[in-house]
Amino acid sequence: MRKCNILHPWLSQCLRINGRGQASFSSCSPKVCIVGSGPAGFYTAHHVIKARQDAEVDIYERLPVPFGLVRFGVAPDHPEVKNVINTFTQTAKHSRCNFYGNINVGKDVSVEELQQAYHAVVLSYGAEDNRKMGIPGEDLAGVYSAKDFVGWYNGLPSCQKLNPDLSCDTAVILGQGNVALDVARILLSPINILKKTDITQPALEALEKSQVRRVLIVGRRGPIQIACTIKELREMAKLPGTRPEMLAADFDGITEALKNVPRPRKRLTELLLKTALEVPNEEEQERRSKASRVWAFQFFRSPVEVLASPDKTRTAGIRLAVNRLEGSGERAQAVLTGELEDVPCGLIISSIGYKSTLIDPSVPFDSHKAIVPNINGRVPCFISGLYCSGWLKTGPTGVIATTMNNSFDTAKSLLDDMASGTVDLSASKAGFHSITGLLEKRGVKPVLFSDWEKIDSVETSKGEAIGKPREKILTVQEMLQVVHK
């Protein structure tokens, strides 16, 4: 590496103080910018800081609060999953890591400006948009995306005006993954359970008045292709005050087919079979007999049209195409039979997937796959040093552990490129020092991690007062008021 140019305006970045208190020149420390403070962003930061003792990492976040989907996506009744926040907090408080919230990259500062200020930029801002169903009537009142519905009960500021109508008896959830089961569980959970979680107060009040008593969880394929995990299914099966009601015909031939599937899939399907078909023991029979709410998986069904109420103002039901499967196992494909059926319902929640969006026109983007094209996290572009991790890299798949491994792989690519010289570390970079002037001119006030801790303190105090782990602040304006008190 070359020594820093003595005329460089950011000379101070390259000075080190030796044991005798004398300044000496050294190679400039690598400066890495990570866009997004969810699991992908924090895991990438953690790995870079741990593996490279001279690296300095700045994490940029659009909202004033960190942690992304851990805060806004994990179900309120899954507090153990949120324990990962403790690890992320340790990373954020590391001497070589800084958190800068309330900065909208692509709007307040461009990716190109970040590339000029840092040796490397890692895009980790996740998947913030919904996949559309692409069917008539999906814009009717009473139809919501799972992303927005989850954001509503988890306190995402942009979803607080959702105000879902829960006055109907039957809700249909399209999709059979973990998010679909989270939504079903929240809709059917006894209020006394939810009151002890960090679900938002407006959502709690709406769910307390909810008339929803039946939730159908619809998937285009069969029991062997169900997308949830065994943990989520087990929770659904044991949910107090509910009972399952499924069609025995949907499980024809499943026991025989299980002989040829991998063990994890076999265990999941066996639990599903037991829940749906097995005569329960006396204790379980009694529990089910007292249940006032019902849930069911509906298999081999694809949405065709949202049916409107007589006055055409809101949903009154959904038309489903009946499918059959071609092939076997997890690769089986749903094929239309030509048969249709209508299901009356007043609430439809589409849980068919999240998708990433492009935040800056200078970044390559595959609009079909909704990802940034990459090779092991490296983004092909004219300027080296651009990377991506998390769902922006792979699409919205897997759990937090999947994202961790995905992010570590991107961090390894970045570290290898630093070691090989592909990322040029010889020139000093000013990092946030050069960005702060741009933000001042644009009227943007960054929120530091210490500012987030003020918000955290207020939320936990409000929660403790009513027996909850926290009561989230629901608007960016209120968050900033706490910060600037």
Side-chain angles (χ1 to χ4, degrees):
M1 294 185 192
R2 297 196 308 266
K3 299 297 183 184
C4 292
N5 187 331
I6 196 167
L7 298 177
H8 196 284
W10 300 106
L11 177 62
S12 60
Q13 297 292 312
C14 306
L15 290 176
R16 296 226 176 126
I17 307 301
N18 63 25
R20 296 183 298 277
Q22 297 171 322
S24 63
F25 290 103
S26 71
S27 299
C28 293
S29 59
K31 288 187 173 54
V32 178
C33 166
I34 294 175
V35 180
S37 70
F42 268 106
Y43 279 128
T44 305
H46 169 80
H47 200 64
V48 170
I49 290 168
K50 184 179 177 183
R52 181 115 189 181
Q53 298 301 311
D54 60 343
E56 297 175 10
V57 178
D58 291 343
I59 302 174
Y60 287 62
E61 168 58 49
R62 179 173 55 85
L63 291 169
V65 295
F67 310 133
L69 276 183
V70 179
R71 177 179 168 97
F72 297 119
V74 173
D77 57 349
H78 283 176
E80 72 286 351
V81 180
K82 301 183 187 187
N83 287 339
V84 72
I85 284 175
N86 297 329
T87 303
F88 296 163
T89 297
Q90 288 178 3
T91 300
K93 288 186 162 188
H94 194 283
S95 60
R96 290 184 281 112
C97 185
N98 292 292
F99 169 82
Y100 298 110
N102 197 41
I103 300 175
N104 192 340
V105 173
K107 180 182 176 184
D108 298 332
V109 61
S110 71
V111 170
E112 287 179 324
E113 287 168 333
L114 292 175
Q115 285 184 290
Q116 290 166 16
Y118 291 87
H119 293 103
V121 175
V122 185
L123 303 175
S124 304
Y125 58 81
E128 296 183 339
D129 203 2
N130 313 300
R131 290 194 180 276
K132 288 280 192 179
M133 291 185 285
I135 62 173
E138 71 175 308
D139 294 323
L140 282 168
V143 182
Y144 308 95
S145 72
K147 184 195 81 69
D148 290 346
F149 195 80
V150 169
W152 167 67
Y153 64 65
N154 270 338
L156 185 63
S158 61
C159 298
Q160 292 316 296
K161 294 181 180 178
L162 197 70
N163 194 26
D165 185 350
L166 306 179
S167 62
C168 61
D169 175 79
T170 300
V172 168
I173 301 172
L174 301 168
Q176 295 179 331
N178 280 350
V179 175
L181 266 67
D182 283 346
V183 170
R185 206 175 57 253
I186 295 299
L187 282 170
L188 296 177
S189 284
I191 289 297
N192 65 331
I193 291 178
L194 295 178
K195 279 181 177 177
K196 298 171 185 175
T197 73
D198 68 355
I199 193 168
T200 68
Q201 200 60 27
L204 192 61
E205 290 168 6
L207 289 164
E208 197 162 16
K209 298 172 187 172
S210 171
Q211 299 301 305
V212 175
R213 295 293 178 269
R214 181 170 173 252
V215 175
L216 305 179
I217 309 164
V218 177
R220 69 185 188 282
R221 298 192 293 168
I224 287 183
Q225 293 80 32
I226 195 168
C228 66
T229 60
I230 195 166
K231 175 181 180 290
E232 295 274 347
L233 177 57
R234 191 177 290 117
E235 285 181 326
M236 203 72 219
K238 294 180 178 179
L239 187 64
T242 72
R243 67 177 182 272
E245 284 186 0
M246 284 177 262
L247 296 173
D250 281 352
F251 297 87
D252 288 347
I254 295 297
T255 302
E256 184 67 23
L258 278 181
K259 295 175 182 177
N260 301 314
V261 300
R263 178 169 165 75
R265 171 64 63 180
K266 184 178 181 182
R267 287 178 60 237
L268 174 63
T269 312
E270 285 173 344
L271 176 60
L272 183 56
L273 277 166
K274 179 180 178 181
T275 304
L277 303 182
E278 199 172 281
V279 177
N281 60 33
E282 190 175 330
E283 183 183 347
E284 177 64 9
Q285 278 185 333
E286 185 179 357
R287 187 187 77 81
R288 292 186 185 185
S289 69
K290 293 177 180 177
S292 60
R293 300 183 179 191
V294 173
W295 64 274
F297 285 112
Q298 279 203 330
F299 298 104
F300 312 111
R301 302 291 187 273
S302 297
V304 174
E305 180 183 358
V306 175
L307 305 174
S309 58
D311 62 3
K312 309 295 182 186
T313 59
R314 59 170 297 106
T315 180
I318 187 160
R319 180 160 293 158
L320 301 172
V322 180
N323 304 325
R324 60 180 175 81
L325 290 189
E326 283 190 357
S328 60
E330 294 184 28
R331 294 187 177 182
Q333 297 296 310
V335 178
L336 298 175
T337 63
E339 185 182 347
L340 298 172
E341 65 181 31
D342 292 350
V343 177
C345 61
L347 174 65
I348 297 171
I349 297 174
S350 170
S351 185
I352 58 173
Y354 294 15
K355 71 174 184 178
S356 298
T357 56
L358 179 63
I359 62 168
D360 191 301
S362 71
V363 177
F365 192 74
D366 184 329
S367 55
H368 177 68
K369 294 181 179 177
I371 61 169
V372 169
N374 68 92
I375 302 167
N376 296 326
R378 298 177 177 93
V379 179
C381 58
F382 296 110
I383 305 171
S384 68
L386 187 62
Y387 301 82
C388 60
S389 67
W391 283 0
L392 187 63
K393 171 184 172 184
T394 62
T397 58
V399 294
I400 289 177
T402 317
T403 298
M404 178 182 71
N405 293 325
N406 161 335
S407 303
F408 285 177
D409 288 344
T410 292
K412 184 179 184 303
S413 293
L414 168 55
L415 292 161
D416 287 348
D417 290 350
M418 285 180 177
S420 69
T422 304
V423 171
D424 183 11
L425 300 179
S426 63
S428 68
K429 295 280 189 171
F432 187 72
H433 291 291
S434 65
I435 299 299
T436 186
L438 297 175
L439 297 176
E440 283 177 15
K441 289 177 186 175
R442 295 164 189 173
V444 179
K445 293 183 178 179
V447 169
L448 307 181
F449 199 78
S450 57
D451 295 325
W452 146 246
E453 290 179 315
K454 294 178 187 176
I455 296 170
D456 182 42
S457 177
V458 169
E459 289 185 342
T460 52
S461 293
K462 284 186 176 180
E464 285 171 6
I466 52 175
K468 298 172 67 175
R470 77 171 58 239
E471 185 59 47
K472 291 175 184 170
I473 297 172
L474 302 181
T475 70
V476 169
Q477 183 182 3
E478 287 176 89
M479 291 172 185
L480 295 178
Q481 283 173 353
V482 171
V483 167
H484 299 307
K485 266 185 179 178

